[in-house]
Amino acid sequence: MKLRWIGSVLLSAAAYYVYLPLPSGVSEPWKLMLLDAMFRSCMHVGDVAHALGVCHRVSLINQVVSWVEVIGPRSCPAVDVSDILLGGVPTRVFRPIGGQKLKRGVVYFHGGGWALASGRMRSYDLLSRKMAEDLDAVIMSVDYRLAPEVVFPAQYEDALAASRAFLSAGVRERYGLDPQRLCVSGDSAGGNLAAAVAQELALDSSLEVRFKAQALVYPTLQALDFHTASYQQNHDVPILYRAVMARFWLQYLGADPALEPLLLANNHSSLDQAGLAAAHRSKLDWTALLPAGRRKHYRPVVRATGSPGVVDAVPALTDARAAPLLAERGVLARTPRRAYVMTCEFDVLRDDGLMYARRLRDAGVEVTGDHYEDGFHGCMVFAYPPVSSAVGRRSMDNYIRWLDQNL
C-alpha cells in the first residue's frame, strides 16, 4: 500500500511537470509536451550547473546531446558518409552512390540557437541521409563553432567560409557537383546563417558559381522586435519560448545577459534609441508586411522611451549579417532567384519567416512559402523516432520535394 501511494505521488508529480496547456490546433500535443519536458529538464540541470560554477549551462547541455545523439559517419549501400574540413570548418558529407554523374548539392546549417546541436546528431544525420538518397544530391552538413566559446561573427564567418569552399572548383570537381544546381539551406539559427550567407555571396562579383536557391526552415532573422504577432501568440508555446530566444540572441551577439528583460519588453527598440533609424523599423514592420490573417488582433509594442544606448552597446542588433531581415532591398534582389521559406503557426519565429518571404518577393525573388497550421518550432528534425512527429514528417517530405522540383 505504501509503495502504491508513493508511486501515485511520483506519477502525479511527473504528470504535473509534463502537462502544459497547448493551443488546440497544434499537432500531437502529448508528444510536444513530452519533448518540452525533456528540454526543460536539460535546461534546469544546465542552470544549476551554471549557478554552481561547474560549467556554462549550454556546455553541459551540449555534452549531454553529444553523449546521447552524436553518431559517427556511417555509410550504407545507398550513401557514402564521411567527415571532412570544408573551408577549414568540420563538415559531414553525404554522397549518394551511383545515380547521375553530376550531382545537385546542398550545404546545410543546423539549428540550435548558434549554441547547441551538431550536424553529426542522429536527427540531422537522418535528414541529410534522406536528402542525399531522395535527391541524388551531395549534402554537406556544416558544424560551425558554437557559443559561448565563440560569438558573432564567428558562426557567420564559419558558414561563409564553408559556403565559399562548397562553391569552389576544387570541391565541385572532387564531389561531382553540378555548378548550376547548388543550394544553401538551414533551419532556425542555421536558417539565419543560410540567409546571411546568401546575401553576402550575392554581392561577391569574384565568384564563378553561385547558389541557384536558398531554403530556409523556420529561420530566426531579427532581434529588434520580440512582440511581433507570432511572438505574442506563441510566447509560452514549446519548444522555443520567447525568453529562450532572447537569451540565444544575447549569447550569439556576445551581449550582457542582463539585457534580457529589456529585449523582452522591446525597450531596446524604443523610439529614443539613437542607433535605430526609421529604415530599420520599416524592414520589420509586421503591420505592413504580414497579411491580416496572421496579424489577427495583436498590436505592435513600440515604447516611446526605453533604455537608451542598447543598440549602440550591441551594434550587431542592426547588422544584416546577424539579422538578415534588415538587409537592403537591393541586396535581397541579388540573392538566389528561388527561395523556400518554411514557417509554423505555433512558433515565435513564424513572422520572421513570413516577413522575409514578403520582402524577398517585393525584391523580385521567386518565393515558395510553406506554412504549417499545426506546426511548432523544430518539428522537421523530430520526424524520426522516438518522437516521430506527423507534422515533422510531412514538413520534411515537402521540403525535400521542393528541393527536387527547384534544384
Side-chain angles (χ1 to χ4, degrees):
M1 181 64 72
K2 187 175 181 180
L3 288 177
R4 288 183 181 178
W5 183 84
I6 294 173
S8 297
V9 171
L10 292 176
L11 185 61
S12 298
Y16 179 80
Y17 184 78
V18 170
Y19 178 75
L20 187 72
L22 293 175
S24 59
V26 72
S27 177
E28 301 174 301
W30 274 104
K31 285 185 179 180
L32 183 54
M33 287 181 204
L34 290 169
L35 186 63
D36 177 62
M38 180 184 69
F39 277 109
R40 279 188 286 120
S41 297
C42 290
M43 294 292 285
H44 292 158
V45 172
D47 289 343
V48 170
H50 188 89
L52 295 175
V54 176
C55 64
H56 194 283
R57 57 174 60 87
V58 170
S59 300
L60 178 63
I61 296 171
N62 265 330
Q63 288 175 13
V64 173
V65 168
S66 296
W67 179 61
V68 174
E69 275 281 300
V70 170
I71 59 177
R74 302 171 184 171
S75 298
C76 65
V79 181
D80 177 72
V81 183
S82 60
D83 288 340
I84 67 166
L85 291 178
L86 184 65
V89 185
T91 299
R92 179 157 291 181
V93 179
F94 300 80
R95 188 177 187 180
I97 297 171
Q100 297 293 322
K101 183 177 180 181
L102 277 182
K103 307 287 188 187
R104 294 180 280 195
V106 179
V107 60
Y108 193 93
F109 304 111
H110 66 81
W114 308 279
L116 299 170
S118 164
R120 295 175 291 118
M121 286 173 55
R122 180 177 174 275
S123 53
Y124 284 109
D125 184 280
L126 290 171
L127 169 63
S128 298
R129 195 177 296 268
K130 180 174 175 58
M131 290 167 65
E133 190 169 356
D134 289 1
L135 297 170
D136 188 31
V138 176
I139 312 300
M140 299 196 179
S141 186
V142 179
D143 263 346
Y144 52 90
R145 289 171 292 169
L146 300 174
E149 284 72 27
V150 299
V151 298
F152 177 81
Q155 290 88 335
Y156 163 80
E157 290 172 344
D158 281 0
L160 186 60
S163 297
R164 288 188 186 280
F166 178 77
L167 295 174
S168 69
V171 169
R172 297 198 321 268
E173 291 169 6
R174 178 180 176 185
Y175 292 97
L177 298 178
D178 185 336
Q180 303 301 316
R181 307 176 78 186
L182 304 177
C183 175
V184 59
S185 184
D187 66 288
S188 193
N192 169 288
L193 296 174
V197 163
Q199 292 177 11
E200 180 66 22
L201 295 184
L203 303 176
D204 189 342
S205 59
S206 69
L207 291 178
E208 297 178 0
V209 172
R210 298 182 181 277
F211 287 115
K212 179 181 180 180
Q214 61 176 316
L216 314 178
V217 178
Y218 32 78
T220 176
L221 299 167
Q222 60 85 27
L224 288 174
D225 190 353
F226 285 90
H227 286 267
T228 62
S230 60
Y231 265 114
Q232 293 184 54
Q233 173 182 288
N234 302 307
H235 65 95
D236 59 354
V237 175
I239 59 173
L240 184 62
Y241 299 94
R242 177 164 58 187
V244 172
M245 193 65 244
R247 191 176 305 167
F248 276 141
W249 268 109
L250 290 171
Q251 192 166 251
Y252 177 45
L253 301 182
D256 186 348
L259 294 175
E260 182 181 324
L262 304 185
L263 266 63
L264 293 176
N266 269 6
N267 281 356
H268 66 307
S269 55
S270 56
L271 296 177
D272 60 348
Q273 291 284 344
L276 196 55
H280 294 124
R281 299 182 190 279
S282 67
K283 293 166 187 171
L284 45 84
D285 179 5
W286 55 269
T287 63
L289 294 171
L290 296 182
R294 301 301 172 198
R295 296 195 304 267
K296 301 180 182 177
H297 62 280
Y298 299 104
R299 296 290 181 266
V301 175
V302 181
R303 311 289 183 189
T305 59
S307 303
V310 175
V311 173
D312 291 333
V314 191
L317 285 167
T318 58
D319 189 330
R321 297 175 303 164
L325 185 57
L326 299 180
E328 298 294 336
R329 179 169 178 163
V331 174
L332 298 180
R334 298 176 65 175
T335 57
R337 293 296 80 208
R338 295 181 183 179
Y340 168 94
V341 182
M342 181 191 297
T343 53
C344 294
E345 183 62 21
F346 302 108
D347 180 7
V348 292
L349 302 180
R350 182 199 70 187
D351 293 348
D352 283 26
L354 292 176
M355 287 190 286
Y356 197 60
R358 167 68 184 275
R359 293 204 63 222
L360 285 171
R361 286 193 192 96
D362 290 348
V365 176
E366 180 185 329
V367 181
T368 297
D370 191 13
H371 185 72
Y372 292 86
E373 293 291 349
D374 58 344
F376 56 90
H377 188 79
C379 62
M380 192 177 80
V381 295
F382 298 117
Y384 293 99
V387 179
S388 300
S389 166
V391 68
R393 171 61 70 173
R394 191 168 6 111
S395 61
M396 178 186 292
D397 288 345
N398 289 339
Y399 164 71
I400 294 175
R401 185 177 299 113
W402 184 89
L403 289 172
D404 190 34
Q405 295 171 353
N406 291 275
L407 191 58

